[in-house]
Amino acid sequence: MAGEEQTVSGVAGRYATALFELALEGNALEQVAADLTRFNEALDAVPDLARLVKSPVFTAEEQSRALAAILGKLKIEGLTRNFLLLVAKNRRLFASPDMIRAFRAMLARYRGETSAMVTAASKLTEAQATALKQALKAALGKEVMLEERVDPSLLGGLVVKVGSRMVDTSLRTKLKSLKVAMKEVG
């Protein structure tokens, strides 16, 4: 079942599919999803963790030891902990953000939802996230699971991607458009 829902090819897709099937089998989908969200938020918030994950300079043993300590601090246990440590041991930690994205897409499809990638200049409040989910549900006719990213270079507004569609209402894009229009006039 989950193999048919693979949305990312290659290493990330295979690992995400395996994790999804194990979580489904163990009735742990919600726990694994919550753990992956915490890990992904830590990746976004802590530059040293992102460096540990992406850098080929660290050995598998160094990555595993550091990751075990980090997972303990984040209170990530069980299947998710074992999965991330296996990924580190196999020297595939660099692909973990893609694995998380693929897992979320499979989970959304399993729930009958669609997933949307939302990039904002600052973290969305609960009220903003709820309002965005409701607007997307009205437009798409499905429940929407948001994957949030923060990119301060947007200055303001949002960039929302659902499947192959993208809506960019960021201030950065509007300023670039204005700059191009000004050049054409002058």
Side-chain angles (χ1 to χ4, degrees), residues 60-177:
E61 185 179 308
E62 290 170 332
Q63 280 183 326
S64 295
R65 269 187 287 138
L67 187 61
I70 291 164
L71 295 175
K73 290 267 188 206
L74 294 173
K75 296 182 179 19
I76 294 176
E77 301 171 348
L79 179 60
T80 312
R81 177 185 177 86
N82 293 341
F83 172 77
L84 290 169
L85 290 174
L86 176 72
V87 169
K89 179 182 172 197
N90 291 345
R91 304 286 295 154
R92 300 290 185 262
L93 204 52
F94 66 91
S96 62
D98 291 333
M99 293 174 196
I100 293 169
R101 198 171 299 114
F103 179 88
R104 284 181 175 159
M106 287 179 219
L107 181 61
R109 200 168 296 121
Y110 176 77
R111 291 175 174 164
E113 300 173 339
T114 190
S115 57
M117 168 80 82
V118 179
T119 307
S122 60
K123 179 126 177 77
L124 296 178
T125 64
E126 284 297 319
Q128 291 169 327
T130 302
L132 182 58
K133 280 183 182 180
Q134 289 172 345
L136 289 171
K137 181 180 179 180
L140 302 170
K142 287 183 176 181
E143 286 294 326
V144 177
M145 188 167 95
L146 295 181
E147 180 178 340
E148 295 181 43
R149 293 269 184 246
V150 175
D151 180 1
S153 73
L154 292 181
L155 304 175
L158 299 171
V159 177
V160 180
K161 293 180 189 174
V162 179
S164 62
R165 291 181 281 179
M166 181 174 92
V167 177
D168 187 344
T169 63
S170 68
L171 188 54
R172 178 181 63 191
T173 300
K174 289 180 180 178
L175 288 171
K176 282 182 183 176
S177 298

